[in-house]
Structure formats: structure tokens, C-alpha cells
Amino acid sequence: MNRALVVGCAGYEDPDIAPLRHAQTDAARVADTLRTVCGVDDADLVLLHDNMPASHRPTRTNLLRHLTRMAADPRPDGILYFFFSGHGFQAGDNTQYLLPIDCVRAAVEDTALRFDVIVRYLGAAAAPHLVLFLDACRNVLDGGKAASASLPRVDVDALCPPGVVSFCSCRPGRVSYEVDGIRAGVFTEALCSAFSPAGRCRTIHELDAYLSTQVPALARAHGKPDQRPHSRVEPLGVQHLELVSERTRNQWRATTPIGTERRARRVAPVVPPGAVDDPLLAIDFGTSYSVVSWYRPEGDVLLLPGPDGRPLVPSVLHFLPDMDYLVGAAAVEATPYRPSSTIRHAKRDLGRSAGYSVNGRSIEPVLAVGLILRSLRRNAEEALGTPVRRCLASHPANFTLRQIDTLEQAFELADLTVTRMIGEPNAASLLTLMATPEQEQDYLVVDLGGGTFDVALVEAGEGIAEVRAVTGSNEVGGLDFDDALVAYAEDQLRTVHGWHGELTSTVRDKLRREAERAKRDLGYRDATTMLLTDLDGGSHGLVDISIELDRARFRQLTAELNDTIRSTLGAVFPRLRFGEDVSAWISRGGKVLLAGQGTKIFTVSEQIASVLPGAEVVSSYQETAVAHGLGTQAGVLTGFQRGFLLLNALRFGVGVRVSGKEGSLHLVSPDAGSNKEVMTLLDSSRTIPTRDAESFRLTGKAGTTHEMTFVEIPRSSGLVFGTIPVVATGGDIVLTADVEANGVVYLTLRDEKTDSVSRYQLNKLGQDR
């Protein structure tokens, strides 16, 4: 949690100290910037300036009061910001002082505040990062005396202590300036501009570079002498520290200079005008196709159409030369003309260091997904005749927390509030209640989409679908089967047909479209042909090439993928907390529910039959199973569906690294290398919402910082969620894990000696470090 202390001293009480014009307004502007851009909550921001009430005027007593309060409430997370605008001076012993407004010129060393004392208090607040913005060298052009011509000006280098990120308004030996025309100091104006949509500085490095150019530019533009900022950034690794909040980053992404969506037609309305108020959408955003559903008050799920009248909307984005864009079927139709301007399968790149270059501009995956979701929202608004702001959403079972977070950011970019995020196979599990309205029945939900493969074991009956275990793989999806065919076709073009033309984006687009078609054909016939037309044959002109493909060859080309399908199907049973093998499950009458278009691939059906011989297969929904399940859950949450209940399961387990155990206490050593054991805080596949608590003892001396490291279980995943630094006080630590119905995990640490409490969100650990 970020915190800030912001101080502006303009109207000094002692007439022998010259007033400043805009220090108080600068402080107010910086406070507002930290609040709105950098994620500092009102409760964690202290603002002191001349126009504030008595308790928040920038006097020496008030400054010390708030500094000591911060030091007495250490929080080992986030960033602590300190901004000061006012006079400073250097004493004869080279000690640096900042002057509060009640400083007395004749007794300046006794009434000012030593800078090293300020830094000591700020350091005691225990934030991982301390960022100083200092403007203590302001020039006074008129209106009284300066602080004193006989007292040396504050040493800028000394205002940049080692190990701290510091930004000063000018270089050593120089002064900084105010500009009446903009009613601000040059440094503050540049600082606030850096955190605006114009500057978009996200990190320490970007801010440092921006200030170094903008401060002198602003001074020149307003007729002031040369002013150049001075900085010290330590340690060097902190240069990439994110200063702005996640919401701000999303807003900046949303305002990337991109045009508007072009549409050939509107979506036909599905309800009379004014019939719907504040609908709760259900959005199944897929790698290849997306489906939007809505639970009607009449008691059923309605799949909402796209502009072409079909509910399956291709998750495809195409940019025109002017950066206007097309989405869905229109984007697919435009792709053959400018394939390099088309973005497909952006879902697979969420949470990764990936980007797309389109018309000379870089498009992040999260922005591409946000534009597609915005179009889906518009489809729904046209179909329902009302604005849409709320939705349920789904994610692949094996998505990492980072990928889920990035997907949520994409929904924010589309101006959609996600009320709940549900695993895709978990959402499809609700359909088991439609197939089994009364008697209890076990199901294995098998969901193969374009980019991921998910499996969920479900117990259904009497209106309750309980997800008992979930697993999945991000390494196999329908796209990977297409890729295998594309690679085969390329090889055949070169080695069998002797084609030596260039594999341009247009040719690759043809290959992929033919691969998708051939994959579908083999679902209901033994052999098919991939036909590639109008290829550049050099001196032979345009040529057509056909490539034969049968089921045997397809099995050979996709053998590795099929192995992954088979192993993932079998892996879900060991995840059961009480254990059950496949044969026992089948003998009890377990059924398979298919979801996702990929389950139509014939080799996937073969793997299901191999792992689950004799199990009945239900294929009533397939490509719309997740959308129907999400829509049903939306009906439950809005109260229109009262007969169904989904008991979700936690997809991952959570462990804490410890050095051992002493009775009921888990031991954490200050030496991170000694914490080699992993204790289980939360089991995977536990029904949520849930809560659990464990006690820990920090084995180091009081005042020693210990790192509590949280990892995913099973340990083979190798995922480290992050660490929480905890300072030993001599008391034991009680760690409580709360898991909400949407799968978000909150961690609460309570020190039994001091009774201090800190709260963290598991998927946010490490983002401020």
C-alpha cells in the first residue's frame, strides 16, 4: 500500500524569511497526482501546507508529529513518497535543514528540521521503497529577504542520500524557479506533467529521463535562467520500479492513439426497447471465438449475436491504415487483403512480454483484447438496447494469476466491471445440472479451446454442481493442431511440390485457413485435401497446389499434442483430496461433458475413449458450453435462476517456505536459504469460499527482517507468488488465508505481540518490489 507525506511552505511567519508564491499550490497538485495516478489512498496521504487547518499547517511540530506516526506504523509494502517545497539551508557543520513555516531566522538551527532526521523517520516506516521529491532551493526574486545570504544554500547532493530514490529541483550550486504565468514551480509543473497522459512516465527510469529534459525546457519557455534537476537512483535495480497504479496504466493503454471500430451493420435487437435495465452479461472470451450470453428473466440463457447474426464472434482484430479497426467476422474478411494488420489469438499472449507491430505502432496484447471486448460489449448493447457495464467472465483453468490479472485489465479497458471471474470448465459444470436435474451424477468436463485444454471433475445433483478437482494445460489448444498442419503443408510445398516462393503473410494466412478447414473435415471423413490457390509459381505464373491428408497422417503429426491431452485427462483424478482412480469413477457411472470447439477434433475423442473407456459422452453444447454455463451463473447471481448452485474449487494450492516446525508453530528463518521446506497453507481443489490460518515463529532477533515466501502447490509448477517482508518483534505471527468465491486469495498477518495487522492480495505480491 503506497503512502505519502507532502509539504508545501510558502508564507513563512518570520518576516526575515522571504515568502514563496506557489509552494502551497505545488504541494496540493502533487498530493492530487499521487492520489489519482500513483495509487495513494486518502487515508495514507498526509498533506501539509499554508492553507490547511491548524493540525495540517507545515509547522515543525506538525511535521514531526506525522513523521513519528509513520515511523510507529511500519508497513513493509508499497512506496513511501515525500515531497517538500520550501526553503533549506546548510549549517556550519554541513548539516542540511529544511525550513517549516514557523522557523525563526535568528534561531534557525533550533527551529528548522534536520534533513537526516526526516530521512531517519521515513526509513523507520519500513516501506521497501522511499522516493523523495525535493524543491528546497527556490529563488526569491522579490518580496522580502531570502532565508539568509549569510547561511550557505542547502547542499543538493546531501539531499540525495545513498540507497534512496531522490529527485531534486536543481543541480548543486543552482536555484529553482517559480512561474507566475502557470502559478507553479518549474520542477513541480514538470513532475505533474510526467504523471499525466502527456508524459506517461510509469517507472523511475522514465521519470528521471522526462524530468531531465522537461525541467530545462519549461524554464526556457517561461524566460527563466537555466534550471536542471538532479537525481540519485539507488539501488540501480529500482530503475524499473512502477510508480503509477494499475488503474492508471490501464487508462493510458485505453487512450493509445487508435481510431474507432468500423461496422457495416448494427446488431439486430433481441428484446423490445426499454425492456432491460442494467443487465449482467456473461462473456466467454476465447482464443479463437468469443460468445456473449444473457440470462433472460423468463428463465433461460440467450446467446447474443454479433453484427453478422451469429453468436460465435471470431476473436480477431484488424487495423485499417488510419488505425480504425474491425472486429470479428469483418476482421476475418479483411485479413486476406492486409494479413500483417490482423491480430489473432491475443488471449494466448496475455501476461507475456509480447506485442504486435501494426502500421508502425506497437499494440500490447491486453489492449488488443480490450478492443475486442469493447466490441462484444457494443454488440450486447445494440442487442439489448441498453448500456452494459457489468459482466461475468471466464478464464482457462491453468491460467497463471498474472494472466488472470491481465485479462481483468483488458475488461477494464473495455469499460466492463467483472463481478466474478470463473474457470472455464467450472462454468461449463453448471450444464451438468441440466443433464442431471435430480439424481446425483459424476461428470468429467473436458474443455479444449483454441489455446488451452481444461478438465474438471464435477459432482452434480439436486441443483448443486460441486467442482471437486481441476487441472489443465496451456501447452495445447486447437491452434496447436492447426500449427502442426501448417508446418506439414510448408514442408510438402517445398519438398514434394518444389514450390520455392516466399512465405508471405498472405500465403501463411491461406495455409492457416486451409489447415483449420482440413482439421474439421477429418472429424467426419477419413481423408481430405488442403488446396492452396494462386501461389506465385515464378515463370509458371500463378499455380494451385493440393496436399493430401488422411487420419493416419494427422495422428502422426499431432502425436505429441495427443499425448498431452491424454496425460491431462488422467492428471485430474490424483488432484482429488481423498483419491479415486479412473476405473472406479467409470464404474460408478461417470460421464464426460464436452466443451469447446476443439473437442470436435477426432484424435481428442480417441484420447477420451482411451483414458475413460466406456464412459458416456455428452456433446449437447460443446462450443457454447462455457457461455451457457456462465449465463446460467449470471441468472443465479441476479436471482432469476434459483434452482442451481455452483460450488467452485480452488485451482491451485498455496504453500509457505519454512525452515522447520516446533510443535504447532512453523519456523521462518531470516536466512532465506534455510527456508527449504514448504508447508501447505491451502490445498488445491478445496471448495471455495474458504478460510484457513496457521501460526509462524520468526527465529531471528527482534528487529530482523524475515522474508515469508509464498509458492504454488504442487511445487513442480515452480511458481513463486511473491514474498512479504516481516520484521520480528518477539511475538508469533498468525497468517490467515481468505479465499473469495471468485478465487481471489487474501493474506492477513497479525503480530500477536504488537497486535499489528497487514493485509495483502496473493496475486499482487511483488508488484511494488
Side-chain angles (χ1 to χ4, degrees):
M1 187 69 70
N2 294 342
R3 293 184 287 169
L5 175 58
V6 180
V7 184
C9 300
Y12 284 88
E13 296 173 357
D14 189 332
D16 285 338
I17 301 177
L20 299 172
R21 295 189 183 94
H22 307 300
Q24 75 276 27
T25 54
D26 281 352
R29 285 186 66 196
V30 169
D32 186 61
T33 296
L34 294 175
R35 184 186 300 111
T36 59
V37 178
C38 299
V40 179
D41 291 337
D42 286 338
D44 295 314
L45 189 147
V46 177
L47 173 60
L48 309 177
H49 67 67
D50 306 50
N51 299 331
M52 296 291 286
S55 62
H56 282 71
R57 284 174 55 78
T59 64
R60 186 175 190 274
T61 301
N62 284 341
L63 261 167
L64 284 171
R65 179 185 298 115
H66 290 290
L67 284 168
T68 55
R69 284 178 179 173
M70 284 185 168
D73 181 23
R75 301 184 204 171
D77 66 333
I79 303 172
L80 175 56
Y81 295 96
F82 177 75
F83 173 87
F84 180 85
S85 177
H87 287 302
F89 82 96
Q90 177 177 293
D93 60 357
N94 295 326
T95 301
Q96 313 301 312
Y97 288 84
L98 300 183
L99 275 59
I101 61 169
D102 58 347
C103 182
V104 177
R105 166 66 189 83
V108 67
E109 292 186 32
D110 295 326
T111 54
L113 264 176
R114 284 176 48 151
F115 182 67
D116 59 341
V117 172
I118 293 174
V119 173
R120 175 162 55 83
Y121 279 117
L122 293 173
H129 303 292
L130 175 59
V131 178
L132 309 178
F133 299 118
L134 301 166
D135 192 354
C137 307
R138 291 226 168 164
N139 182 59
V140 180
L141 298 180
D142 53 36
K145 300 176 182 179
S148 174
S150 63
L151 291 176
R153 187 178 295 122
V154 66
D155 181 5
V156 168
D157 270 327
L159 294 185
C160 298
V164 175
V165 178
S166 306
F167 294 93
C168 283
S169 57
C170 62
R171 291 182 176 179
R174 307 302 295 269
V175 295
S176 53
Y177 297 92
E178 295 182 320
V179 178
D180 289 339
I182 57 175
R183 299 183 60 81
V186 170
F187 177 72
T188 299
E189 178 69 19
L191 180 63
C192 293
S193 175
F195 290 128
S196 73
R200 299 194 179 198
C201 294
R202 298 182 307 163
T203 65
I204 293 288
H205 173 73
E206 292 173 351
L207 177 62
D208 196 9
Y210 187 88
L211 293 177
S212 67
T213 58
Q214 289 301 309
V215 170
L218 275 170
R220 286 195 303 270
H222 292 281
K224 300 298 180 182
D226 185 54
Q227 178 180 336
R228 297 182 182 275
H230 183 70
S231 65
R232 183 170 186 169
V233 177
E234 291 186 0
L236 288 177
V238 82
Q239 290 193 45
H240 299 293
L241 175 70
E242 293 271 0
L243 296 175
V244 302
S245 67
E246 186 176 286
R247 177 174 293 276
T248 298
R249 293 197 297 272
N250 287 341
Q251 290 172 344
W252 288 351
R253 289 188 185 111
T255 56
T256 297
I258 286 174
T260 58
E261 181 187 5
R262 291 194 193 176
R263 293 184 167 220
R265 61 180 73 89
R266 290 175 57 87
V267 175
V270 297
V271 295
V276 181
D277 181 41
D278 191 24
L280 179 62
L281 286 189
I283 300 179
D284 172 24
F285 173 71
T287 305
S288 300
Y289 291 90
S290 297
V291 185
V292 179
S293 62
W294 171 62
Y295 198 88
R296 301 196 306 169
E298 291 81 1
D300 62 344
V301 174
L302 178 65
L303 301 181
L304 301 181
D308 63 351
R310 293 180 293 181
L312 265 69
V313 178
S315 303
V316 181
L317 179 67
H318 179 86
F319 286 96
L320 300 169
D322 61 357
M323 292 305 287
D324 282 356
Y325 60 93
L326 307 171
V327 174
V332 173
E333 293 169 1
T335 296
Y337 303 102
R338 300 177 71 244
S340 61
S341 296
T342 298
I343 297 176
R344 295 176 179 266
H345 318 135
K347 180 179 178 181
R348 265 206 161 178
D349 293 325
L350 288 174
R352 301 174 181 172
S353 300
Y356 317 105
S357 179
V358 179
N359 297 339
R361 299 187 184 181
S362 179
I363 306 295
E364 294 182 64
V366 66
L367 176 58
V369 173
L371 294 176
I372 296 171
L373 291 172
R374 189 180 297 178
S375 179
L376 296 176
R377 191 197 80 200
R378 183 175 173 184
N379 291 347
E381 291 178 336
E382 292 178 358
L384 299 176
T386 188
V388 173
R389 292 294 179 266
R390 302 182 301 142
C391 71
L392 292 184
S394 58
H395 63 81
N398 221 43
F399 250 26
T400 65
L401 289 179
R402 182 181 180 185
Q403 288 174 302
I404 294 172
D405 283 347
T406 310
L407 181 57
E408 289 182 336
Q409 292 171 20
F411 276 93
E412 287 186 21
L413 291 179
D415 201 19
L416 282 165
T417 299
V418 179
T419 60
R420 187 167 297 181
M421 186 79 78
I422 303 173
E424 289 168 1
N426 305 30
S429 299
L430 276 171
L431 298 185
T432 62
L433 297 175
M434 300 178 185
T436 310
E438 295 179 0
Q439 74 273 21
E440 292 187 1
Q441 177 68 58
D442 287 356
Y443 283 91
L444 184 70
V445 178
V446 179
D447 181 9
L448 180 63
T452 55
F453 180 54
D454 298 331
V455 182
L457 268 172
V458 183
E459 287 184 351
E462 299 182 351
I464 299 175
E466 181 177 357
V467 181
R468 298 177 60 208
V470 182
T471 190
S473 172
N474 291 347
E475 298 176 359
V476 59
L479 294 178
D480 298 291
F481 288 87
D482 296 340
D483 288 342
L485 296 188
V486 169
Y488 173 70
E490 288 182 8
D491 179 70
Q492 291 290 294
L493 282 173
R494 303 296 197 198
T495 61
V496 176
H497 298 278
W499 185 77
H500 300 293
E502 182 184 356
L503 286 172
T504 63
S505 56
T506 301
V507 174
R508 290 188 181 278
D509 182 62
K510 288 181 179 180
L511 285 171
R512 180 161 294 281
R513 284 187 282 119
E514 278 299 290
E516 292 175 357
R517 187 189 59 77
K519 179 183 67 177
R520 291 194 300 269
D521 279 359
L522 292 176
Y524 54 87
R525 63 179 63 174
D526 292 332
T528 188
T529 300
M530 297 176 65
L531 181 61
L532 303 170
T533 62
D534 296 337
L535 298 179
D536 184 2
S539 60
H540 298 288
L542 298 179
V543 297
D544 298 339
I545 296 176
S546 60
I547 299 172
E548 302 301 322
L549 183 68
D550 59 20
R551 285 192 165 193
R553 177 66 68 182
F554 186 88
R555 291 188 188 97
Q556 179 185 6
L557 296 172
T558 61
E560 188 174 333
L561 300 174
N562 295 324
D563 289 343
T564 303
I565 295 287
R566 188 164 54 252
S567 62
T568 306
L569 285 169
V572 70
F573 290 91
R575 293 180 73 99
L576 288 170
R577 295 180 68 187
F578 304 107
E580 182 178 34
D581 60 25
V582 177
S583 58
W585 183 82
I586 295 174
S587 66
R588 292 197 296 107
K591 298 182 179 180
V592 177
L593 177 72
L594 300 182
Q597 288 201 93
T599 54
K600 293 182 176 181
I601 301 172
F602 78 92
T603 55
V604 175
S605 299
E606 291 176 347
Q607 306 316 309
I608 293 172
S610 172
V611 176
L612 304 157
E616 181 182 339
V617 176
V618 179
S619 57
S620 307
Y621 297 95
Q622 279 184 280
E623 59 260 78
T624 62
V626 174
H628 269 97
L630 277 177
T632 302
Q633 181 67 5
V636 172
L637 295 180
T638 53
F640 295 121
Q641 168 55 266
R642 299 181 182 276
F644 290 168
L645 175 64
L646 172 64
L647 295 179
N648 217 334
L650 184 64
R651 180 186 60 79
F652 51 85
V654 180
V656 183
R657 288 181 180 163
V658 297
S659 60
K661 192 172 182 181
E662 186 178 284
S664 62
L665 291 170
H666 303 281
L667 306 179
V668 179
S669 170
D671 175 18
S674 299
N675 299 319
K676 297 179 179 180
E677 300 178 22
V678 175
M679 65 80 54
T680 300
L681 181 63
L682 291 170
D683 293 312
S684 63
S685 300
R686 178 180 295 196
T687 301
I688 58 176
T690 187
R691 167 184 285 196
D692 211 340
E694 295 286 346
S695 295
F696 295 80
R697 175 160 293 168
L698 308 181
T699 61
K701 296 179 180 180
T704 305
T705 299
H706 298 60
E707 296 282 347
M708 295 189 71
T709 302
F710 295 81
V711 300
E712 184 178 25
I713 297 176
R715 294 175 65 183
S716 58
S717 73
L719 176 63
V720 177
F721 294 120
T723 62
I724 297 177
V726 185
V727 178
T729 63
D732 295 331
I733 302 296
V734 177
L735 170 63
T736 303
D738 288 284
V739 188
E740 296 184 343
N742 58 5
V744 176
V745 181
Y746 290 97
L747 305 170
T748 303
L749 278 72
R750 182 174 65 84
D751 189 312
E752 291 193 315
K753 182 176 182 179
T754 64
D755 206 33
S756 61
V757 175
S758 301
R759 195 163 190 251
Y760 305 85
Q761 189 173 329
L762 181 67
N763 60 321
K764 303 293 186 184
L765 290 184
Q767 291 193 2
D768 294 327
R769 295 183 60 76

